[in-house]
């Protein structure tokens, strides 16, 4: 009995997300087809010129824009940024440094600081629990 292995494919939107690019900016043949796992791996390992250009210049999808600005995706929306931005537009926003961006960066820094504090607390609690478990007097 032989098993048929089907090729795993994904929609262009999924592939674009995995590649970190804005789907609407990709070539038509990419948008209209399906992408196999092997094709995705090939694009990641040896990106064609169009993919290199998109990653360098954009337009970038919101998760990439948010990361480049150091804010959350929700922070982008609160700041009124709902569209994909180019690298040039992102750099202009960084230079301009509007009040909403300053506020969202501060919020994001607080979120990161709190995440570190919680992680440390969990590690400390786990260490105490392990100590209690190994201590025969407990």
């Amino acid at each position: 009995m032989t098993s048929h292995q089907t090729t795993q494919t994904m929609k262009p939107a999924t592939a674009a997300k995995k590649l970190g690019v804005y789907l609407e900016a990709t070539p038509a043949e990419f948008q209209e087809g399906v992408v196999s796992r092997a094709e995705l791996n090939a694009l990641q390992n040896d990106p064609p010129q169009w993919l290199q250009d998109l990653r360098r210049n954009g337009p970038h999808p919101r998760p990439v824009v948010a990361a480049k600005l150091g804010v959350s995706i929700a922070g982008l929306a609160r700041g009124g940024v709902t569209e994909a931005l180019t690298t040039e537009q992102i750099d202009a926003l960084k230079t301009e440094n509007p009040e909403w961006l300053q506020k969202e960066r501060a919020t994001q820094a607080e979120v990161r600081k709190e995440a570190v504090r919680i992680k440390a607390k969990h590690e400390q609690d786990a260490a105490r629990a392990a100590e209690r478990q190994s201590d025969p007097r407990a």
Side-chain angles (χ1 to χ4, degrees), residues 56-60 65 68 83-92:
R56 187 179 324 103
N57 304 319
H60 303 287
V65 173
K68 286 179 180 272
E83 298 298 314
L85 299 179
T86 64
T87 301
E88 190 177 304
Q89 291 169 314
I90 293 168
D91 291 342

Side-chain angles (χ1 to χ4, degrees), residues 15 19 30 35 38-48 50-51 55:
L19 293 169
F30 181 85
V35 181
E39 290 169 331
L40 178 68
N41 289 339
L43 287 170
Q44 289 173 323
N45 295 331
D46 186 23
W50 65 264
L51 183 53
R55 285 178 169 167

Side-chain angles (χ1 to χ4, degrees), residues 88-103:
E88 190 177 304
Q89 291 169 314
I90 293 168
D91 291 342
L93 260 177
K94 285 179 180 177
T95 302
E96 191 180 304
N97 201 16
E99 188 177 329
W100 72 265
L101 182 57
Q102 294 172 37
K103 182 180 173 196

Side-chain angles (χ1 to χ4, degrees), residues 14-28:
T14 304
K17 191 176 202 174
K18 289 180 181 287
L19 293 169
V21 295
Y22 186 57
L23 177 63
E24 285 76 14
T26 60

Side-chain angles (χ1 to χ4, degrees), residues 98-118:
E99 188 177 329
W100 72 265
L101 182 57
Q102 294 172 37
K103 182 180 173 196
E104 291 300 333
R105 282 181 167 168
T107 300
Q108 194 67 6
E110 286 297 318
V111 167
R112 280 193 222 99
K113 194 161 71 172
E114 182 65 6
V116 168
R117 186 192 69 77
I118 290 171

Side-chain angles (χ1 to χ4, degrees), residues 3-83:
S3 63
H4 269 7
Q5 200 159 22
T6 58
T7 304
Q8 187 180 17
T9 60
M10 61 193 84
K11 295 177 182 177
T14 304
K17 191 176 202 174
K18 289 180 181 287
L19 293 169
V21 295
Y22 186 57
L23 177 63
E24 285 76 14
T26 60
E29 60 270 8
F30 181 85
Q31 292 180 39
E32 294 163 2
V34 293
V35 181
S36 71
R37 175 68 61 189
E39 290 169 331
L40 178 68
N41 289 339
L43 287 170
Q44 289 173 323
N45 295 331
D46 186 23
Q49 191 61 48
W50 65 264
L51 183 53
Q52 292 175 37
D53 292 343
L54 271 179
R55 285 178 169 167
R56 187 179 324 103
N57 304 319
H60 303 287
R62 285 181 303 151
V64 174
V65 173
K68 286 179 180 272
L69 290 174
V71 300
S72 66
I73 294 172
L76 280 180
R78 285 190 293 270
V81 178
T82 56
E83 298 298 314

